[in-house]
Amino acid sequence: MVALVALAALAACPAQAAQPAARGFQFGVIGHSFKSGPDESVLKRAIADVTQVAPAFIVATGIKASTEPCSDRLYAQRRALLNDAAAPMIVSLAGSDWSGCVNSIGRSNAIERLNRLRELFYADGESLGERRLPLTRLSASAKFRSYSENAHWEYGKVLFATINLPANNNHFRAEAGRNSEYEDRLVANRAWLHRLFTLAERQKMQGLVLFSDGDVGVQAEQGFSLLPSFQSKQDGFAEPRRQIRAMAEKFKGKVLLVDTQGGAGTEPSIVWRGNVGHLSLAAEWTEVRVAPGSAALFTLKGGAAEATQ
């Protein structure tokens, strides 16, 4: 409870000023470019292509393939590549960046690698890129000082945010004993989502956009599990799914969830159910257009992205 009060106080006075965007704008989203393998050229092309549409910012999910080493050298190489982007670049982590990492004897070193990524990519309150965008990080709260990968920013009366929800069942591990990384991050993400919806409501935002690696299944039928029914393994997305559903129902604006679990070759589109939209990408990039004050707040270039509300 104390943590939520502290986060609400921070939300009342966000660190960054709202960005002016009276006429509407567009932003770019790059899916997990390394899903199909360690081909850095795919990410380079995506950055070059999306830069051509003059985006307000770019969000890229995932910095490496699961088959690539979880090394400081590779992390630094990818940071340099993303930092060279002309537009502000926000990095949203994928599970392959950290949760599947193992050490030289085959044991998981996911927590150590996640902390290293935090040091390299989220050391201050700005995006990467030649033009920097000010960000507010969850790590600004003393209780959650480790969780710098969760960041939010405002643009054109829309609140945007990243949240660390890796696709591999939210990194829930079935081994005996306390599932410490998963459980601690669950608490942090719970407070983060509360903060985001509180801020969006208080600032009368027209929309809230959440970027993650995993698809939490918010639009699925009640009682749905992302795991096959015959498995006894816990659904690692159950709690964030319940929380987002409950808070979205009370929010007067639109909620857009963006993840990277789309099927290869599928044309990107936004599927709406009530005020909640879902955009799931594969390894491609897409341009999302935002029209403040319009019934069709979010649309994709060239796609039938906005269903009748």
Side-chain angles (χ1 to χ4, degrees):
M1 181 61 70
V2 174
L4 293 181
V5 172
L7 286 168
L10 280 172
C13 301
Q16 82 271 17
Q19 301 295 317
R23 291 187 174 182
F25 59 96
Q26 57 276 345
F27 64 91
V29 186
I30 300 175
H32 189 4
S33 302
F34 299 100
K35 262 188 174 182
S36 57
D39 186 356
E40 193 175 82
S41 65
V42 177
L43 177 58
K44 289 180 178 178
R45 284 196 303 271
I47 294 173
D49 290 346
V50 73
T51 300
Q52 298 303 309
V53 306
F57 54 85
I58 303 169
V59 177
T61 301
I63 65 161
K64 63 177 278 301
S66 58
T67 55
E68 291 183 291
C70 301
S71 65
D72 283 6
R73 180 179 179 180
L74 182 66
Y75 288 168
Q77 177 183 323
R78 296 289 155 77
R79 185 191 185 282
L81 189 161
L82 293 162
N83 200 33
D84 283 342
M89 175 69 71
I90 293 94
V91 179
S92 179
L93 292 179
S96 60
D97 301 333
W98 65 276
S99 63
C101 295
V102 295
N103 60 22
S104 58
I105 59 173
R107 292 184 178 177
S108 173
N109 64 347
I111 297 175
E112 188 276 333
R113 290 291 81 191
L114 176 56
N115 287 333
R116 185 60 178 140
L117 285 165
R118 289 164 172 164
E119 293 172 355
L120 288 172
F121 284 86
Y122 311 113
D124 54 34
E126 291 185 320
S127 68
L128 300 178
E130 293 180 4
R131 286 191 295 113
R132 299 298 178 97
L133 189 67
L135 308 173
T136 299
R137 301 194 183 280
L138 177 55
S139 54
S141 169
K143 182 175 176 62
F144 302 110
R145 199 165 298 283
S146 297
Y147 296 89
S148 54
E149 70 272 23
N150 286 357
H152 73 68
W153 64 100
E154 297 175 24
Y155 208 101
K157 295 305 291 181
V158 176
L159 183 65
F160 299 88
T162 56
I163 182 167
N164 191 355
L165 295 168
N168 58 340
N169 196 29
N170 204 13
H171 195 224
F172 176 84
R173 299 178 67 84
E175 293 88 343
R178 182 167 181 262
N179 198 345
S180 60
E181 191 286 320
Y182 166 82
E183 292 173 4
D184 291 346
R185 185 165 42 80
L186 204 65
V187 173
N189 283 341
R190 183 188 308 138
W192 183 237
L193 287 168
H194 183 274
R195 175 181 177 177
L196 294 174
F197 277 95
T198 299
L199 176 59
E201 193 69 49
R202 182 170 294 153
Q203 299 293 336
K204 294 181 169 53
M205 295 291 174
Q206 296 180 27
L208 169 60
V209 183
L210 288 171
F211 302 93
S212 67
D213 178 34
D215 173 11
V216 299
V218 169
Q219 292 188 338
E221 297 298 328
Q222 294 287 350
F224 163 83
S225 172
L226 292 176
L227 301 168
S229 58
F230 61 84
Q231 291 188 4
S232 59
K233 185 178 177 183
Q234 178 175 330
D235 181 354
F237 293 110
E239 180 170 329
R241 178 165 61 249
R242 285 193 297 266
Q243 185 179 5
I244 293 171
R245 277 177 170 166
M247 301 194 83
E249 286 180 359
K250 299 175 183 178
F251 181 54
K252 295 181 176 63
K254 294 183 179 180
V255 180
L256 178 60
L257 307 175
V258 183
D259 63 61
T260 63
Q261 299 310 301
T266 304
E267 188 71 20
S269 63
I270 302 176
V271 178
W272 288 94
R273 181 171 292 184
N275 69 328
V276 178
H278 180 217
L279 169 60
S280 196
L281 300 174
E284 69 278 313
W285 71 272
T286 193
E287 174 188 349
V288 183
R289 294 179 174 177
V290 185
S294 170
L297 181 60
F298 303 108
T299 56
L300 302 187
K301 181 180 178 181
E306 187 81 24
T308 303
Q309 298 297 301

